[in-house]
Amino acid sequence: MNRIQLPKVVSADLNFANEKCGYAGRELEAMDDARNYHRWILRIFEPFLGAHLVEVGAGVGSFSKLILNRHDCQSLCLVEPSRTQYEQLAIYARSLATRARLEVYNTTFAEAAPKSKRNKLPIR
């Protein structure tokens, strides 16, 4: 019997002023079913992917799941500035079966970069 190993997810609310990054649209949810489009995008980037990845503007995690299914990375840092999308992303990230370490940030890349695992972000 195979066991699904749930990822170690680091969620960090960095007290970013999310009001300026509000997202009222539904495009990301609609794009969740755009599987061919996501695979095409990943094929373009795949030759350049390493062991430690950052997805900026991770939305609800559709592309994140594809990355984890097709690329054997050690860590994946998901950055989403929209509070609404971040809340969905944090829940979704916990449901992904992966060996990779996941970090989920509700902020911009500029704010998250210095606080990532490589810089010893405390696990909450």
Side-chain angles (χ1 to χ4, degrees), residues 2-42:
N2 291 336
R3 282 183 129 171
I4 296 175
Q5 180 180 351
L6 294 178
K8 297 174 185 165
V9 177
V10 175
S11 255
D13 183 347
L14 301 176
N15 298 320
F16 176 68
N18 289 302
E19 301 80 38
K20 63 184 174 188
C21 289
Y23 174 74
R26 305 291 300 180
E27 294 86 3
L28 294 175
E29 292 89 343
M31 289 299 290
D32 189 36
D33 292 326
R35 290 177 184 88
N36 288 335
Y37 174 73
H38 290 148
R39 285 192 294 262
W40 174 71
I41 295 292
L42 186 56

Side-chain angles (χ1 to χ4, degrees), residues 26-107:
R26 305 291 300 180
E27 294 86 3
L28 294 175
E29 292 89 343
M31 289 299 290
D32 189 36
D33 292 326
R35 290 177 184 88
N36 288 335
Y37 174 73
H38 290 148
R39 285 192 294 262
W40 174 71
I41 295 292
L42 186 56
R43 267 197 313 271
I44 293 170
F45 285 98
E46 225 163 5
F48 308 103
L49 298 180
H52 304 281
L53 305 174
V54 177
E55 182 182 357
V56 179
V60 296
S62 310
F63 196 68
S64 312
K65 181 178 179 180
L66 183 61
I67 290 171
L68 292 169
N69 286 341
R70 293 193 39 179
H71 184 71
D72 188 27
C73 60
Q74 292 177 20
S75 67
L76 177 59
C77 178
L78 306 172
V79 180
E80 177 52 53
S82 164
R83 167 65 72 184
T84 305
Q85 297 300 316
Y86 164 76
E87 289 169 357
Q88 293 176 36
L89 178 64
I91 292 167
Y92 185 65
R94 285 183 174 81
S95 75
L96 295 173
T98 181
R99 290 178 289 149
R101 177 183 173 88
L102 298 178
E103 299 177 36
V104 184
Y105 295 97
N106 181 213
T107 189

